[in-house]
Amino acid sequence: MESRQRVLVINPGSTSTKVAIYESYTPLFTTKIEHSLTELQSLLTVEDQYDFRKQVVLKTLDEEGINLSKLNAVVGRGGLVRPIPSGTYTINEMLLEDLKNGYSGWHASNYGGIIAYEIAYQLNIPSFIVDPVVVDEMDAIARVSGLQGIERKSIFHALNQKATARLAAKALGRAYEKLNLIIVHMGGGITVGVHKEGRVIDVNDGLYGEGPFSPERAGTLPTGAVIDLCFSEGMTREKALSLMAGSGGLVSYLGTQDGHVIERKIEMGNEEAAFYYKSMAYQIAKEVGAASAVLCGQVDGIVLTGGLAYSQHLISLLTTRLEWISDILVYPGEDEMLALAKGAIRVINGKETPKHYPSGKLVGELEITGGK
């Protein structure tokens, strides 16, 4: 019988920090701490920012009467670090520095690992990150872009895709490492991962890169038209990137990224809304079809997840186009906090061996000591 482990989970967003305490897989406490934009803008350095968030987290836990001495580990959302294989990673000095310096770019999730490390260090317990967005298990052939000097990148919803893959494997009664799955995360961005026997061997870059358009991202665009856009009068790099991720997709066509608003328009007979929503489903289905070719048609299941998977209308549109390929499993939403907690608990219960950053090699059992 597994011992009951208690972990603190920290997941920072752009203007908020989610905090939870899990005992085994049961949440004992969850909250979302909102930060005012004015407050955050006054913090000029990375150190100021993560120290501010850490103090707010500790204050919140203290006010709730939570005894930190009962914690077995602290886990933070992994940020934009070096490309690494999937897994749970102990936070070492190099990982800490890459989080602070934004090795692969900057996102608020970088603060998660830093805060987790600092709290764990004081308590002399382990600290971890789990499946950051830069998880990279792509085959060499999948990296080829078509232009020397440019490689396709693996940037996707790794945390939710991996967690959902385990749920699907359980439902199918087989080990994840023995399955071929296509997993579609549908949120503000959309990523379609080809999971072959436990590895994501191909996936679209769901941020600025490629794939289907989404509620707020443009996805793959005609190259010549993009070049013309970038050289148009008044265009800057920052504005162009904003158009690709933030102002693209359904926002550019319908003025909103809110799926509920769009579906209400469709229900009221808005033909434009219906057309572009159907177009998004069309592009998602095309990406899944391409993913099935990667697996030579040997697909054990297509998994639909993320916030848009709550939409029965979208699921129906996708099912019509995809059910001939394989069975479809639907897991709406994403529970990042539980996924992070599970990663840490699997390690401290000995169900999974943590990995060493950045090599991805397994850490020896004796090395799983405090945050130091």
Side-chain angles (χ1 to χ4, degrees):
M1 184 177 178
E2 291 185 355
S3 59
R4 299 184 67 81
Q5 306 290 352
R6 186 172 293 191
V7 298
L8 168 62
V9 182
I10 301 167
N11 185 2
S14 55
T15 59
S16 66
T17 304
K18 294 179 184 177
V19 181
I21 301 284
Y22 279 83
E23 187 167 277
S24 294
Y25 300 151
T26 303
L28 301 182
F29 169 74
T30 61
T31 190
K32 182 179 181 180
I33 305 168
E34 299 287 352
H35 310 301
S36 76
L37 197 57
T38 304
E39 205 168 30
L40 294 178
Q41 288 174 340
S42 69
L43 303 168
L44 302 179
T45 68
V46 171
E47 186 173 349
D48 289 341
Q49 175 87 226
Y50 71 70
D51 187 64
F52 164 76
R53 291 188 188 236
K54 182 182 75 172
Q55 296 306 326
V56 172
V57 168
L58 290 173
K59 181 183 177 184
T60 300
L61 295 173
D62 182 60
E63 290 173 349
E64 292 293 325
I66 293 170
N67 185 351
L68 297 184
S69 68
K70 292 185 178 180
L71 293 175
N72 299 102
V74 187
V75 58
R77 179 70 188 271
L80 295 172
V81 292
R82 300 167 196 252
I84 52 178
S86 172
T88 299
Y89 285 77
T90 55
I91 301 177
N92 58 22
E93 291 291 343
M94 182 179 286
L95 176 51
L96 196 61
E97 286 305 307
D98 284 350
L99 287 168
K100 290 179 180 178
N101 296 329
Y103 182 90
S104 295
W106 191 256
H107 187 268
S109 59
N110 286 38
Y111 297 125
I114 302 170
I115 298 169
Y117 176 90
E118 295 208 345
I119 292 175
Y121 182 91
Q122 295 299 321
L123 298 170
N124 196 36
I125 57 177
S127 59
F128 306 105
I129 65 166
V130 182
D131 289 334
V133 295
V134 291
V135 162
D136 187 348
E137 301 170 331
M138 286 172 67
D139 283 346
I141 197 169
R143 300 183 191 281
V144 179
S145 69
L147 183 64
Q148 179 69 33
I150 295 177
E151 278 197 346
R152 296 183 64 241
K153 293 181 179 179
S154 177
I155 299 179
F156 70 112
H157 303 88
L159 183 64
N160 187 50
Q161 285 214 20
K162 288 286 184 173
T164 307
R166 294 185 182 94
L167 293 175
K170 186 175 181 180
L172 293 170
R174 294 168 61 188
Y176 170 51
E177 293 75 16
K178 300 292 185 182
L179 286 170
N180 289 344
L181 300 170
I182 298 171
I183 300 188
V184 187
H185 177 105
M186 303 180 294
I190 295 173
T191 55
V192 179
V194 182
H195 294 240
K196 182 179 181 181
E197 298 175 349
R199 292 173 52 242
V200 183
I201 62 169
D202 200 346
V203 66
N204 64 297
D205 175 350
L207 185 53
Y208 295 120
E210 57 195 347
F213 75 80
S214 74
E216 62 180 38
R217 297 174 194 171
T220 300
L221 295 172
T223 306
V226 172
I227 292 172
D228 289 341
L229 174 70
C230 290
F231 281 91
S232 61
E233 186 177 352
M235 184 59 64
T236 64
R237 182 178 188 274
E238 290 71 26
K239 187 176 179 181
L241 288 175
S242 175
L243 287 172
M244 299 303 118
S247 302
L250 292 177
V251 172
S252 70
Y253 291 117
L254 302 174
T256 180
Q257 63 176 359
D258 191 323
H260 298 296
V261 171
I262 293 169
E263 290 206 20
R264 280 198 294 272
K265 288 183 177 182
I266 294 170
E267 289 167 4
M268 294 171 65
N270 187 311
E271 293 183 5
E272 184 183 34
F275 175 74
Y276 286 115
Y277 207 58
K278 187 176 182 179
S279 298
M280 184 176 70
Y282 174 88
Q283 289 199 4
I284 295 170
K286 278 179 64 177
E287 193 75 14
V288 174
S292 69
V294 173
L295 294 169
C296 301
Q298 302 301 307
V299 184
D300 295 308
I302 298 169
V303 182
L304 306 178
T305 184
L308 288 177
Y310 283 110
S311 168
Q312 291 301 314
H313 181 57
L314 181 60
I315 296 300
S316 176
L317 289 172
L318 290 171
T319 299
T320 299
R321 293 189 180 275
L322 297 175
E323 59 185 348
W324 65 274
I325 297 175
S326 186
D327 291 338
I328 296 173
L329 297 86
V330 182
Y331 295 94
E334 58 179 320
D335 196 337
E336 293 176 340
M337 304 302 277
L338 178 58
L340 290 167
K342 283 182 173 181
I345 291 168
R346 285 195 301 270
V347 165
I348 54 183
N349 271 337
K351 299 292 185 181
E352 179 181 317
T353 304
K355 292 181 176 178
H356 182 275
Y357 179 85
S359 68
K361 294 180 179 178
L362 300 180
V363 174
E365 221 173 80
L366 295 177
E367 294 179 66
I368 310 173
T369 57
K372 304 172 186 178

Short mmCIF file of all heavy atoms in Angstrom, two decimals, residues 11-33:
data_model
loop_
_atom_site.label_atom_id
_atom_site.label_comp_id
_atom_site.label_asym_id
_atom_site.label_seq_id
_atom_site.Cartn_x
_atom_site.Cartn_y
_atom_site.Cartn_z
N ASN A 11 1.90 27.00 -9.50
CA ASN A 11 1.72 27.17 -10.95
C ASN A 11 1.46 28.64 -11.27
O ASN A 11 0.32 29.09 -11.25
CB ASN A 11 0.57 26.29 -11.44
CG ASN A 11 0.41 26.32 -12.95
OD1 ASN A 11 1.17 26.96 -13.66
ND2 ASN A 11 -0.61 25.64 -13.44
N PRO A 12 2.51 29.42 -11.56
CA PRO A 12 2.32 30.85 -11.82
C PRO A 12 1.82 31.12 -13.24
O PRO A 12 2.23 30.48 -14.21
CB PRO A 12 3.74 31.43 -11.66
CG PRO A 12 4.56 30.35 -11.04
CD PRO A 12 3.94 29.07 -11.48
N GLY A 13 0.91 32.09 -13.34
CA GLY A 13 0.47 32.60 -14.63
C GLY A 13 0.87 34.05 -14.76
O GLY A 13 1.54 34.60 -13.87
N SER A 14 0.46 34.69 -15.84
CA SER A 14 0.92 36.05 -16.09
C SER A 14 0.50 37.03 -15.00
O SER A 14 1.29 37.89 -14.59
CB SER A 14 0.41 36.53 -17.45
OG SER A 14 -1.00 36.42 -17.52
N THR A 15 -0.73 36.91 -14.49
CA THR A 15 -1.19 37.83 -13.43
C THR A 15 -1.77 37.09 -12.23
O THR A 15 -2.56 37.64 -11.48
CB THR A 15 -2.25 38.80 -13.98
OG1 THR A 15 -3.37 38.05 -14.49
CG2 THR A 15 -1.68 39.67 -15.09
N SER A 16 -1.39 35.83 -12.07
CA SER A 16 -1.90 35.05 -10.95
C SER A 16 -0.91 33.94 -10.60
O SER A 16 0.00 33.63 -11.38
CB SER A 16 -3.26 34.43 -11.28
OG SER A 16 -3.13 33.47 -12.31
N THR A 17 -1.10 33.35 -9.42
CA THR A 17 -0.32 32.18 -9.02
C THR A 17 -1.28 31.17 -8.40
O THR A 17 -1.92 31.46 -7.39
CB THR A 17 0.79 32.54 -8.01
OG1 THR A 17 1.63 33.55 -8.57
CG2 THR A 17 1.63 31.31 -7.67
N LYS A 18 -1.39 30.00 -9.02
CA LYS A 18 -2.22 28.93 -8.46
C LYS A 18 -1.39 28.14 -7.46
O LYS A 18 -0.23 27.81 -7.72
CB LYS A 18 -2.72 28.00 -9.57
CG LYS A 18 -3.67 28.66 -10.55
CD LYS A 18 -4.10 27.68 -11.63
CE LYS A 18 -4.98 28.34 -12.67
NZ LYS A 18 -5.32 27.40 -13.77
N VAL A 19 -2.01 27.82 -6.33
CA VAL A 19 -1.33 27.10 -5.26
C VAL A 19 -2.25 25.98 -4.78
O VAL A 19 -3.47 26.16 -4.67
CB VAL A 19 -1.00 28.03 -4.07
CG1 VAL A 19 -0.28 27.27 -2.96
CG2 VAL A 19 -0.17 29.22 -4.53
N ALA A 20 -1.68 24.82 -4.51
CA ALA A 20 -2.48 23.70 -4.00
C ALA A 20 -1.64 22.82 -3.09
O ALA A 20 -0.41 22.73 -3.24
CB ALA A 20 -3.06 22.88 -5.14
N ILE A 21 -2.31 22.18 -2.14
CA ILE A 21 -1.71 21.13 -1.33
C ILE A 21 -2.45 19.84 -1.65
O ILE A 21 -3.69 19.78 -1.57
CB ILE A 21 -1.85 21.41 0.19
CG1 ILE A 21 -1.18 22.74 0.57
CG2 ILE A 21 -1.26 20.25 1.00
CD1 ILE A 21 0.32 22.70 0.63
N TYR A 22 -1.70 18.83 -2.07
CA TYR A 22 -2.29 17.51 -2.34
C TYR A 22 -1.74 16.50 -1.34
O TYR A 22 -0.55 16.51 -1.03
CB TYR A 22 -1.95 17.04 -3.75
CG TYR A 22 -2.83 17.62 -4.82
CD1 TYR A 22 -2.56 18.88 -5.35
CD2 TYR A 22 -3.93 16.92 -5.31
CE1 TYR A 22 -3.37 19.42 -6.34
CE2 TYR A 22 -4.74 17.45 -6.30
CZ TYR A 22 -4.45 18.71 -6.81
OH TYR A 22 -5.25 19.24 -7.78
N GLU A 23 -2.64 15.64 -0.84
CA GLU A 23 -2.20 14.47 -0.09
C GLU A 23 -2.58 13.26 -0.93
O GLU A 23 -3.77 13.02 -1.17
CB GLU A 23 -2.85 14.40 1.29
CG GLU A 23 -2.28 13.27 2.14
CD GLU A 23 -2.68 13.39 3.59
OE1 GLU A 23 -2.02 14.15 4.32
OE2 GLU A 23 -3.68 12.73 3.98
N SER A 24 -1.56 12.54 -1.38
CA SER A 24 -1.76 11.58 -2.46
C SER A 24 -2.39 12.36 -3.62
O SER A 24 -1.87 13.39 -4.00
CB SER A 24 -2.58 10.39 -2.00
OG SER A 24 -1.83 9.66 -1.04
N TYR A 25 -3.51 11.91 -4.15
CA TYR A 25 -4.09 12.63 -5.28
C TYR A 25 -5.33 13.43 -4.87
O TYR A 25 -6.11 13.87 -5.71
CB TYR A 25 -4.45 11.67 -6.41
CG TYR A 25 -3.26 10.90 -6.94
CD1 TYR A 25 -3.41 9.63 -7.49
CD2 TYR A 25 -1.97 11.44 -6.90
CE1 TYR A 25 -2.31 8.93 -7.99
CE2 TYR A 25 -0.87 10.76 -7.39
CZ TYR A 25 -1.04 9.50 -7.94
OH TYR A 25 0.05 8.82 -8.42
N THR A 26 -5.47 13.65 -3.57
CA THR A 26 -6.62 14.38 -3.05
C THR A 26 -6.22 15.81 -2.69
O THR A 26 -5.28 16.02 -1.92
CB THR A 26 -7.18 13.70 -1.79
OG1 THR A 26 -7.53 12.35 -2.11
CG2 THR A 26 -8.40 14.43 -1.26
N PRO A 27 -6.91 16.82 -3.25
CA PRO A 27 -6.58 18.20 -2.91
C PRO A 27 -7.06 18.56 -1.49
O PRO A 27 -8.24 18.37 -1.19
CB PRO A 27 -7.32 19.02 -3.96
CG PRO A 27 -8.45 18.15 -4.40
CD PRO A 27 -7.98 16.73 -4.26
N LEU A 28 -6.15 19.03 -0.66
CA LEU A 28 -6.52 19.49 0.69
C LEU A 28 -6.79 20.99 0.69
O LEU A 28 -7.54 21.49 1.52
CB LEU A 28 -5.40 19.18 1.68
CG LEU A 28 -4.98 17.71 1.84
CD1 LEU A 28 -3.90 17.58 2.89
CD2 LEU A 28 -6.19 16.84 2.20
N PHE A 29 -6.14 21.69 -0.24
CA PHE A 29 -6.29 23.14 -0.31
C PHE A 29 -5.92 23.60 -1.72
O PHE A 29 -4.91 23.16 -2.28
CB PHE A 29 -5.36 23.82 0.71
CG PHE A 29 -5.24 25.30 0.52
CD1 PHE A 29 -6.28 26.15 0.89
CD2 PHE A 29 -4.09 25.87 -0.02
CE1 PHE A 29 -6.17 27.53 0.71
CE2 PHE A 29 -3.97 27.23 -0.20
CZ PHE A 29 -5.01 28.07 0.17
N THR A 30 -6.75 24.44 -2.31
CA THR A 30 -6.44 25.02 -3.62
C THR A 30 -6.87 26.48 -3.62
O THR A 30 -7.89 26.84 -3.03
CB THR A 30 -7.17 24.30 -4.78
OG1 THR A 30 -8.58 24.42 -4.60
CG2 THR A 30 -6.79 22.83 -4.84
N THR A 31 -6.09 27.32 -4.27
CA THR A 31 -6.46 28.72 -4.40
C THR A 31 -5.77 29.31 -5.60
O THR A 31 -4.76 28.78 -6.08
CB THR A 31 -6.10 29.52 -3.13
OG1 THR A 31 -6.69 30.82 -3.21
CG2 THR A 31 -4.59 29.68 -2.98
N LYS A 32 -6.31 30.42 -6.08
CA LYS A 32 -5.69 31.19 -7.16
C LYS A 32 -5.47 32.60 -6.65
O LYS A 32 -6.44 33.33 -6.39
CB LYS A 32 -6.59 31.18 -8.40
CG LYS A 32 -6.00 31.91 -9.60
CD LYS A 32 -6.95 31.84 -10.79
CE LYS A 32 -6.37 32.53 -12.02
NZ LYS A 32 -7.31 32.45 -13.18
N ILE A 33 -4.21 32.96 -6.49
CA ILE A 33 -3.86 34.28 -5.96
C ILE A 33 -3.75 35.25 -7.13
O ILE A 33 -2.92 35.06 -8.02
CB ILE A 33 -2.53 34.23 -5.19
CG1 ILE A 33 -2.56 33.16 -4.09
CG2 ILE A 33 -2.19 35.59 -4.61
CD1 ILE A 33 -1.20 32.86 -3.50
#
